[in-house]
Amino acid sequence: MKDPALHPPSPLGYTRAGLVGPATVLDAPSIPGLVPEQTASAMSDWLHRHGVLMAGPVIALPAASGLSADVARFAAVIGPGHEAVLEAAWHAVNPHSPTGRLETAIALAQASRAPNYAAREILMRAAAKGVPVVPVHDGVWSLGEGSRQRWVNATLFAHTRWLGARLARDKHAASRWLARAGLPVAPQATLSSIEQVHQFISIHGFPVVLKPRAFEGGYGVHADLRDMDEVYGALRALERLKTALIIEKHVPGRDFRITVAGGRVISILERQPAGVTGDGQRTISELVDVTNADPRRSGSPTSTLAPITLDAESERLMRHAGVTAGTVLEAGRWLRLKAAGNVKQGGIPVRYDGVMHEDNLDLALRASRICDVDPSGVDLLLPDPARSWLQGGAAICEVNAQPSVGPAAGDVAWQCLMGSAVESDGLITKAAFALGAGTQATLAAWRCELERLGAIVGWNDGAVVYVGDRCIGRAVDRASAAAQILRDPTVDAALFDVQGEDFAEGLPFTALDALVSPAPPPVAGSGLHAITRRIAGDPEALLGHLLDRYRDRRGGVI
């Protein structure tokens, strides 16, 4: 069971509530020297400067304002983990907070504006669980510390097999590999000349699909091409991409995205392609404008859907339907405007709650295993999901090694993904010592006890950093030494010498299991006591507790 003492209540004392009007409502202690309204204004300005998208301005309300308890707290719209972002903003604008909090604030602000929904959701959910979130480089983030840290890039996780991900990115190679394993795929060929197009069509007939060999998100896919004029048009459009192309037999059917994580199906979505439904009054072009007015299609970095564009593909599909952009579509008639159901092409993923035959689910799991990618998103075309593909047929379009997972997947799916992304709260066992001349002797004794349990221990003697018996470097000060230890992926437990004032300006960790220190803590202003589960001046009173914490983490209890 998760120990709430590991994650002490926010110093702001707020709880999560629903969206209250257009603003973020905050009931928090004022920053010294500022009234609540000034505190809220400073936080709002900081969030705006760092690109954190809020519903509106941050406002402050006194607890005795007569509003309900929920409303007198706060509400934000930056998703799971918004409490952590607001708390970080409070520390960032509070001159009396340790500067280490500012680093956390900036990291969380970056996380809240990650370029796609899946990346934001994973990072903010991690922050909400108390997992340390640290940017690495170019969309890659570290979740956790020491040997429990894991790197993620949206839904591409550290344990995702690189060779499997490389195979999945090459659509033709992945299709051939699946076919060799006996899984159903559409007939397909790579293209290097127009003669190959004619040869493929002479064998397999129309309709066909033309698409890039390695692009993602449905970009460049031209499906349901019914004659050579349409094929030539698609080839002209694809020529500007200057990339290898694939021709494939078009397979009709309902389009499903089955997401696999941890060797099991966690989400089934039916992908509905971009389209509009007539009302008997507006033209198709006007209906598209109305559809694009949906805030989810705003085109902003936090949009969960893409706007629909009327392009050559849309014109081709309208021509198939016998209409033009100026046609007034009769009430209730649905018109398809894109052949593929990808979100990036304006499609809408809808959670599928109907009957899915177990053979079809097993097919998705087998595709994930055969391509050696997990998590994965398996795109499956089925004429009837309730019927086994062995009788009704099916075609695997592709297996995605970095699946786009949106809000439609649901909270259970996200919990499964988070369990796959990072181990529990990502924290290693940590203790700090502030015993003056006795610090190193006590630290050495504790280190021996942890090593008897098989732990690799990182520790510091002043600014000198050690892992086990080996000195691995010298830091600027004790705080920097602690930060270096926590970034080492071999370290199972950390013991910190926290003498002096090195930690007064910021902490490189968010929680400690034990602090061996006379009371009150001698490190003034460091905040060590506020994030520590147990504090005592007697080492013997805490050692057993620390060893139990290590055993629990190793056993998966916490």
Side-chain angles (χ1 to χ4, degrees):
M1 180 179 293
K2 196 176 188 70
D3 190 333
L6 279 178
H7 304 289
S10 159
L12 305 190
Y14 45 57
T15 57
R16 188 169 181 170
L19 178 62
V20 182
T24 295
V25 181
L26 179 68
D27 172 24
S30 296
I31 294 172
L34 300 179
V35 299
E37 290 76 11
Q38 290 173 318
T39 296
S41 177
M43 288 177 62
S44 183
D45 289 345
W46 188 89
L47 291 165
H48 178 73
R49 285 200 311 275
H50 286 81
V52 180
L53 299 177
M54 311 296 286
V58 178
I59 62 173
L61 294 174
S65 61
L67 297 176
S68 69
D70 284 342
V71 175
R73 295 294 183 172
F74 80 95
V77 292
I78 51 177
H82 58 257
E83 298 96 331
V85 177
L86 284 175
E87 181 173 347
W90 187 82
H91 284 289
V93 299
N94 187 344
H96 302 281
S97 287
T99 55
R101 297 281 193 167
L102 177 58
E103 296 175 3
T104 301
I106 293 173
L108 291 174
Q110 292 175 352
S112 74
R113 63 176 192 271
N116 64 63
Y117 179 88
R120 288 193 304 278
E121 190 77 1
I122 285 173
L123 296 174
M124 301 317 296
R125 282 178 178 264
K129 290 173 61 178
V131 178
V133 176
V134 181
V136 179
H137 170 69
D138 194 24
V140 178
W141 291 74
S142 172
L143 306 183
E145 57 192 19
S147 61
R148 299 183 103 200
Q149 66 183 300
R150 302 291 183 270
W151 286 14
V152 302
N153 181 0
T155 55
L156 188 66
F157 298 159
H159 60 76
T160 303
R161 296 183 184 272
W162 179 75
L163 290 176
R166 183 178 174 185
L167 171 69
R169 185 168 176 81
D170 186 330
K171 293 179 174 62
H172 182 60
S175 180
R176 290 178 60 192
W177 187 244
L178 291 168
R180 288 180 66 179
L183 275 66
V185 296
Q188 189 182 90
T190 55
L191 295 180
S192 59
S193 68
I194 192 65
E195 286 76 18
Q196 288 180 309
V197 174
H198 288 289
Q199 182 180 11
F200 184 91
I201 292 173
S202 69
I203 296 172
H204 300 287
F206 289 105
V208 295
V209 178
L210 287 170
K211 60 184 180 181
R213 182 168 178 165
F215 285 13
E216 298 175 342
Y219 185 68
V221 175
H222 294 256
D224 196 17
L225 303 173
R226 301 182 182 184
D227 56 42
M228 287 308 300
D229 286 340
E230 294 184 355
V231 168
Y232 288 139
L235 287 172
R236 285 192 295 270
L238 289 166
E239 187 177 13
R240 61 183 174 81
L241 301 181
K242 300 186 183 304
T243 187
L245 301 179
I246 295 171
I247 187 169
E248 181 179 271
K249 177 65 177 175
H250 178 82
V251 178
R254 294 169 66 178
D255 185 357
F256 291 93
R257 161 63 64 87
I258 300 178
T259 303
V260 175
R264 62 194 181 104
V265 172
I266 65 168
S267 169
I268 306 173
L269 301 178
E270 184 165 9
R271 304 195 303 176
Q272 299 177 354
V276 293
T277 301
D279 61 3
Q281 298 178 359
R282 285 176 278 210
T283 66
I284 293 170
S285 179
E286 291 170 337
L287 291 170
V288 168
D289 290 340
V290 171
T291 301
N292 287 339
D294 184 336
R296 295 175 299 170
R297 297 185 185 271
S298 67
S300 75
T302 58
S303 299
T304 55
L305 298 175
I308 300 173
T309 57
L310 293 179
D311 55 13
E313 180 185 23
S314 306
E315 292 176 4
R316 174 170 60 83
L317 293 174
M318 286 189 285
R319 188 165 59 250
H320 290 172
V323 297
T324 68
T327 300
V328 174
L329 207 60
E330 54 266 34
R333 179 184 174 185
W334 182 77
L335 177 68
R336 185 174 190 151
L337 294 172
K338 300 289 180 182
N342 303 73
V343 170
K344 291 181 180 179
Q345 306 306 313
I348 300 178
V350 178
R351 189 167 67 183
Y352 180 73
D353 294 322
V355 177
M356 178 68 71
H357 196 283
E358 62 180 13
D359 288 347
N360 303 334
L361 296 176
D362 182 65
L363 178 61
L365 291 170
R366 287 177 59 211
S368 179
R369 290 195 298 267
I370 287 167
C371 287
D372 201 17
V373 285
D374 187 327
S376 66
V378 181
D379 294 340
L380 188 60
L381 291 171
L382 292 165
D384 181 0
R387 188 181 182 195
S388 169
W389 73 272
L390 295 168
Q391 284 78 46
I396 298 171
C397 295
E398 57 186 88
V399 178
N400 300 271
Q402 191 178 19
S404 296
V405 182
D411 191 60
V412 172
W414 276 108
Q415 291 179 26
C416 294
L417 273 176
M418 289 304 301
S420 185
V422 65
E423 185 179 355
S424 186
D425 58 11
L427 301 177
I428 61 172
T429 301
K430 300 184 294 297
F433 302 84
L435 292 173
T439 288
Q440 284 302 318
T442 305
L443 188 154
W446 284 38
R447 178 187 147 210
C448 288
E449 294 299 323
L450 284 165
E451 288 177 343
R452 283 196 184 100
L453 296 179
I456 295 176
V457 182
W459 56 284
N460 69 296
D461 183 353
V464 183
V465 184
Y466 295 84
V467 173
D469 293 324
R470 181 180 294 274
C471 173
I472 63 169
R474 179 181 292 274
V476 175
D477 55 23
R478 288 176 172 84
S480 299
Q484 290 182 19
I485 291 168
L486 295 177
R487 295 275 62 82
D488 191 309
T490 67
V491 172
D492 303 315
L495 303 175
F496 303 123
D497 165 11
V498 295
Q499 307 298 317
E501 297 296 321
D502 288 353
F503 290 83
E505 294 187 351
L507 302 175
F509 37 76
T510 58
L512 279 173
D513 293 295
L515 172 60
V516 186
S517 169
V523 190
S526 71
L528 281 169
H529 60 289
I531 64 165
T532 304
R533 189 172 185 272
R534 289 192 186 174
I535 303 172
D538 177 12
E540 294 299 321
L542 292 180
L543 177 58
H545 158 69
L546 187 82
L547 297 179
D548 286 343
R549 302 301 292 174
Y550 175 74
R551 292 188 188 96
D552 287 345
R553 285 195 171 94
R554 187 176 62 180
V557 178
I558 56 174

